[in-house]
Amino acid sequence: MGDNTEIGIGGYLKLDAMVTDTSDGSIATGIGRDFYVPSLIPVGGNSESAKWDMHARQSRFFITSDTLLENGKKISGRFEFDMMATTIGDQRVSNGYAPEIRHAFIAYDGWLFGQTWSTFMDVNALPDSLDFVGTTDGTIFVRQAQIRYTTGGFQFAIENPETTVTPLNGGTRLVTDDNSTPDLVVRYNHTADWGGLTVSALSRQLSYENGLIDDQVQGYGLSFSGKVNLSKTDDIRFAVNYGDALGRYMSLNTGNDAVLRGDNKLEAIKSVGYTLAYKHAWNDKLRSSIFYSAQKIDNPVQYTGQAQTESTHSYSANLIYQLASKVSVGVEFRHANRVLESDLEGDLNRLQFSAKYDF
């Protein structure tokens, strides 16, 4: 590799144990039991006993490379994976789960090529949580392939497109993969001693082609987020997201991008989400975060029917103890609620315990 290349490795090992109680049925074994997924809160079923789950699937590993080139510039790369959302594996005997790519990109002279967080997403606004996301209901959370250019505080990106559609009168989500143009993102980051603010705009084509159906509509999204330092240890983090076709970008695709109307045309679905988190250090070993997150989806019920999610919200609080510089344990409680367009609703209560070693 030569003297001009530096290789780094890192990641963390994490055990999560949780007790989940839902008011209207049980969440099936899978990602909804491993971390909070708002769209999977049961609604309209019969109450069942609480469920206990344990897993180490959030554990992750990354490799980085930095090379100083002969022109004096640096090229960097990162490859990272975890097992968090893969469907390959089960709990019967070995608890073996296949790794999946989180990040795989190269960066050179302001350019980024590969898969990483969407430019429309502000990672700095995420809370200090034990849950995989934390403020999931109102959060933009997407990783995908892209080409990004950064200059000063501005970022411009073209990103991999995808459209999710609610069929006429509801039913199983349609994932079309029919887009002919990439998603476009413009973002501005302002950083200061007191924290930082981010403003982002998203433009995207929603497309569906199937037999006699062949339609495209334009969608957009706006995001304002930030982190305000109250002291060296305490901060407030927030985000407000609004759009006509946020769909798969927000809340792990709780709402879809568009609905298929009776005339075989697409209509984009409006939604709004917001998050607020406060982090406080009690001393040099003990810290807590409290956070709230919500979303409202404006489904055109004359096309979607009344079985679609109309809103979700959740609030959480945790206590994390730092046993050593890279070892922590914690406990977190969450209460969440999901409401359908029919006004049926269901609740989720979850108590989560975690142990984590960063390396």
Side-chain angles (χ1 to χ4, degrees), residues 5 7 23 27 64 108 135 157 242 270 292:
T5 298
I7 301 294
S23 64
I27 301 174
T64 60
Y108 174 73
T135 48
Y242 175 79
K270 292 184 175 67
Y292 177 78

Side-chain angles (χ1 to χ4, degrees), residues 17-66:
M18 58 199 73
V19 180
T20 303
D21 186 35
T22 47
S23 64
D24 287 56
S26 179
I27 301 174
T29 300
I31 61 173
R33 296 262 290 269
D34 295 334
F35 59 95
Y36 173 53
V37 181
S39 62
L40 297 183
I41 298 175
V43 174
N46 298 319
S47 178
E48 298 186 16
S49 59
K51 302 295 189 291
W52 171 276
D53 293 285
M54 297 178 68
H55 67 85
R57 298 179 67 185
Q58 196 181 135
S59 303
R60 65 189 57 165
F61 179 80
F62 67 78
I63 302 173
T64 60
S65 175
D66 295 292

Side-chain angles (χ1 to χ4, degrees), residues 53-115:
D53 293 285
M54 297 178 68
H55 67 85
R57 298 179 67 185
Q58 196 181 135
S59 303
R60 65 189 57 165
F61 179 80
F62 67 78
I63 302 173
T64 60
S65 175
D66 295 292
T67 301
L68 183 63
L69 303 176
E70 62 276 5
N71 61 6
K73 297 181 179 181
K74 183 176 72 171
I75 185 168
S76 301
R78 184 182 184 96
F79 179 63
E80 179 177 334
F81 60 88
D82 66 9
M83 290 69 64
M84 195 67 212
T86 179
T87 58
I88 302 175
D90 60 62
Q91 301 178 55
R92 294 182 300 107
V93 179
S94 67
N95 282 267
Y97 291 92
E100 58 182 2
I101 294 175
R102 288 174 52 83
H103 305 280
F105 64 82
I106 59 175
Y108 174 73
D109 199 24
W111 290 92
L112 180 145
F113 305 88
Q115 175 172 305

